[in-house]
Amino acid sequence: MQKSGVKALLAVLVMAAVSLLLASAAGRGLPTYGGLSLPLWSLLIAFGVQWLVFIPAYLNHTERFYDLTGALSNIAVVLVCFSLSVETDRNYLLAGLIVIWALRLGGFLFWRVCVDGRDTRFDKIKINFYRFLVTWTLQALWVFLISLAAILAMASGVDKPLGWTAGIGLLCWLLGMVLEVAADVQKRRFRADSRNQGQFIRQGLWAWSRHPNYFGEILVWIGVCIIAFPALSGCLYLGLLSPLFVILVLTKVTGIPLLEASANRRWGSDPNYQQYKAQTPVLIPRIPRP
């Protein structure tokens, strides 16, 4: 095995081990079902589904079902947790918001890869067993951690009135969804216009931020965390890692760094792009300068 393969396998083991430790710590003292707490069931579903689908995906060297699998895993996790938890208004709200988000984003990304024929991020990865396995394992970690606040709120059994915190969380979620959907629609329309072939988008929300869809995604999970917060206590506060993990991944790992590097390769010598970068924030939107 090459050195790169060893590093990839080590990364897989580390992600799995960290997730297991986190799920075990968060599930301490919670009710068990079949010997496992809800965090551990969520972890088992997230990793089991990703690794199972990885096998045919690698054999066929395809990334077509990657994002769809992630979305369906999110739905499976939240519905299993909801079905095994006490029925409360908070649990209904959390489950509903996550299912809506997953159906929208998963459906959009699956449609996009079907229309485009491929996802360029995977061109070199999908033919390498170890690197491709890392991406599926990272998605398993993503599925588990982004919903952790909601999972722990459901598992807590706490039935508090929704109150003003739920209102703030819902508004944050709605704002994030609007930004994310609008940014995705604007970019697809821009790319569908043949006059924009080979150009970068700087219209609509993309004049306010270079990655407005990611800003919307972050707001979505901050909103979910705010709604879940009143039901958390003790070890369940580990659920607060959810939005922090989203921010970390999107700004430092697979989101913004990869897209910025790709954009620099394509338009780095273009003065218009350099001006766009100088005037437009990376993430947090700002009113465009005249």
Side-chain angles (χ1 to χ4, degrees), residues 176-191:
M177 282 292 289
V178 169
L179 288 174
E180 189 174 354
V181 172
D184 286 340
V185 170
Q186 288 173 358
K187 193 168 189 178
R188 290 306 298 183
R189 287 178 176 174
F190 177 84
R191 288 183 171 179

Side-chain angles (χ1 to χ4, degrees), residues 83-282:
S83 66
L84 294 176
S85 62
V86 177
E87 291 188 12
T88 68
D89 292 339
R90 191 180 313 279
N91 290 355
Y92 272 107
L93 180 58
L94 288 170
L97 295 182
I98 293 176
V99 168
I100 291 171
W101 165 85
L103 288 174
R104 200 294 304 183
L105 184 60
F108 169 74
L109 294 176
F110 181 62
W111 169 81
R112 187 180 68 179
V113 77
C114 288
V115 171
D116 294 345
R118 64 191 178 103
D119 186 333
T120 55
R121 296 175 301 170
F122 292 90
D123 285 349
K124 296 181 179 179
I125 297 176
K126 62 187 177 184
I127 59 176
N128 184 299
F129 178 90
Y130 303 106
R131 292 182 64 190
F132 203 31
L133 178 60
V134 168
T135 64
W136 285 87
T137 305
L138 180 59
Q139 179 161 257
L141 182 63
W142 169 270
V143 169
F144 171 66
L145 279 180
I146 62 174
S147 299
L148 186 59
I151 292 168
L152 296 181
M154 292 180 186
S156 70
V158 173
D159 187 9
K160 291 183 178 180
L162 289 176
W164 60 270
T165 53
I168 293 176
L170 181 58
L171 287 175
C172 188
W173 183 90
L174 287 170
L175 177 59
M177 282 292 289
V178 169
L179 288 174
E180 189 174 354
V181 172
D184 286 340
V185 170
Q186 288 173 358
K187 193 168 189 178
R188 290 306 298 183
R189 287 178 176 174
F190 177 84
R191 288 183 171 179
D193 190 336
S194 59
R195 295 172 297 180
N196 299 324
Q197 186 71 30
Q199 302 297 314
F200 61 91
I201 183 172
R202 47 181 168 176
Q203 304 168 358
L205 290 172
W206 300 86
W208 293 58
S209 166
R210 302 210 296 274
H211 303 280
N213 54 333
Y214 287 161
F215 182 71
E217 180 80 352
I218 290 170
L219 287 181
V220 163
W221 293 104
I222 290 177
V224 169
C225 193
I226 292 173
I227 296 171
F229 183 78
L232 305 180
S233 62
C235 291
L236 302 185
Y237 282 129
L238 288 170
L240 300 180
L241 292 173
S242 290
L244 297 178
F245 178 74
V246 173
I247 294 171
L248 174 65
V249 170
L250 293 182
T251 62
K252 301 298 182 181
V253 185
T254 65
I256 291 175
L258 294 181
L259 293 178
E260 287 287 303
S262 176
N264 286 331
R265 287 193 297 268
R266 297 183 66 183
W267 304 297
S269 60
D270 185 341
N272 291 324
Y273 181 68
Q274 292 300 326
Q275 182 183 39
Y276 172 70
K277 284 185 64 176
Q279 295 181 343
T280 311
V282 175

